[in-house]
Amino acid sequence: MSTHAISGQTRVVGIFGDPITHTRSPAMQNAAFRVRHLPYVYVPFLVRPADLSKAVHSIRALNLVGVNVTVPHKERIVRYLDALSAEANLCGAVNTVVNCDGTLFGDNTDGRGFLLSLQERCLSPRRREVVVIGAGGAARALLASLIRAGSARVTILNRTQAKAQVLARTYRSLGKTRIEALPLDTLRDPALLQNAALVVNCTPVGLHGEQFLPLAYAATPRGCLFYDLLYRPELTSFLRHARAAQRPILDGRRMLLHQGALAFSLWTRTPAPLDAMAQALKRTLRNQ
Ligand code: ATR
C-alpha cells in the first residue's frame, strides 16, 4: 500500500460499514487525495450496528473530516446527524457525512452519481419511462433522483410487492412523476417494457453469477438502456441477456465512481480528479 506520508497535518476521512473489507472506496479516494496533493487519508472502519451512535460521536471527538456510510448503516445513521441535504431527506438515507466544526451534515450522493452516469451515456430520464427492479435502499435513492430529474413514469417491481407499494405511495406525492408498483413477474409482460427508456436492476440478483429473472428484453425500444447497479469482472446475466437483445448496457462502476467523486468534493471543496479515481477503481476491481 502506498499513501502519501502521514504527518501531524494529516486529516482523516473514513467509511463506516459492516462488513467493510470489500470496499473499493479507499483506493479511489486515496488516489484522489494524492493527485490533488491534499494531506488527507481515507480508511475503512468496521462499525457494528450496536456501535453506530458511538461511531458517529467519534466523528466529532476525533475531528474526522467526514465519512462515507455503507451497508447496513445508511438509513439508521440519519437519526444521529445534525442536518440533512434535501436529497438525503427525500430518500431517508445517507452515504456521506461532512463534519462542519462539529455539526454533522448528511448527504446522499448515490442518486446524483446515478444521474451523472446516465448523462455520460447521453441519457436524460426527464419525461421518460423507467422500470426499477427492487425496492431497497438503492432503489429509493434512484427513485428520489428520477423524481428530481422529472421522469414521466417510474414502475417499481419487487419480490415483496408490499414494499414496492409503500415506496410508490411515499414518493407519489413528491413530484409529477407517475409511480406504480407491480409484481415482479410483470417483467415478462411486453406491455410493461414497450416504452421504457431505462431498466435498472437494484437487487443483488446476479452478484454471484446466478441467472436473472425472466424479462421480456426484446419488448423494449432498441435504445433502452439496461443498467445493473452491480459490478463484477464478468457481465451479470441481466446485462448478458440485454446485450444479446442488442440493447445498450451499463454496470454499477460509473455510479460508484461519481458518488465517490461527489463525496470527495463535499469533504475537500475541490473538484474531484475523475480520471485518477477511475483508474484507481479499475485497478482495485481487477484485483478483486
Ligand atoms: P440495498 O439497500 O442495497 O438496495 P436491500 O435493501 O437489501 O439492498 O434491497 C435489495 C432488494 O433486492 C430488495 O428489494 C429485495 O427484495 P425484497 O424486498 O423482497 O427483499 C430484492 N432482492 C433481494 N434478493 C432477491 C431475489 N433473490 N430475487 C428478487 N429480488 C431480490
Side-chain angles (χ1 to χ4, degrees), residues 101-158:
D101 297 325
T103 299
L104 301 184
F105 172 77
D107 199 351
N108 195 316
T109 64
D110 285 337
R112 270 153 30 232
F114 170 71
L115 292 179
L116 284 169
S117 69
L118 290 181
Q119 199 176 312
E120 285 179 332
R121 298 292 294 259
C122 301
L123 197 155
S124 162
R126 187 171 157 73
R127 301 203 179 117
R128 311 297 292 276
E129 291 195 15
V130 181
V131 173
V132 171
I133 309 166
R140 258 214 309 277
L142 255 61
L143 202 54
S145 69
L146 289 168
I147 293 170
R148 283 168 73 101
S151 292
R153 178 182 185 145
V154 179
T155 310
I156 312 161
L157 300 101
N158 194 46

Side-chain angles (χ1 to χ4, degrees), residues 78-97:
V78 165
R79 71 190 72 169
Y80 302 122
L81 302 176
D82 301 310
L84 293 183
S85 68
E87 222 147 340
N89 201 28
L90 199 56
C91 59
V94 160
N95 79 336
T96 305
V97 176

Side-chain angles (χ1 to χ4, degrees), residues 71 74-75 133-141 156-164 167 184 201-206 210-213 229:
V71 176
K74 283 184 177 184
E75 283 143 42
I133 309 166
R140 258 214 309 277
I156 312 161
L157 300 101
N158 194 46
R159 182 175 59 181
T160 311
Q161 203 195 341
K163 239 163 102 180
L167 215 60
L184 202 52
N201 174 35
C202 304
T203 78
V205 181
E210 63 273 37
Q211 278 298 314
F212 200 70
L213 315 150
L229 297 193

Side-chain angles (χ1 to χ4, degrees), residues 49 54 105 107 109 164 220 247 271 274 282:
K54 282 183 272 176
F105 172 77
D107 199 351
T109 64
T220 55
R247 299 298 186 267
L274 205 62
K282 201 168 162 183

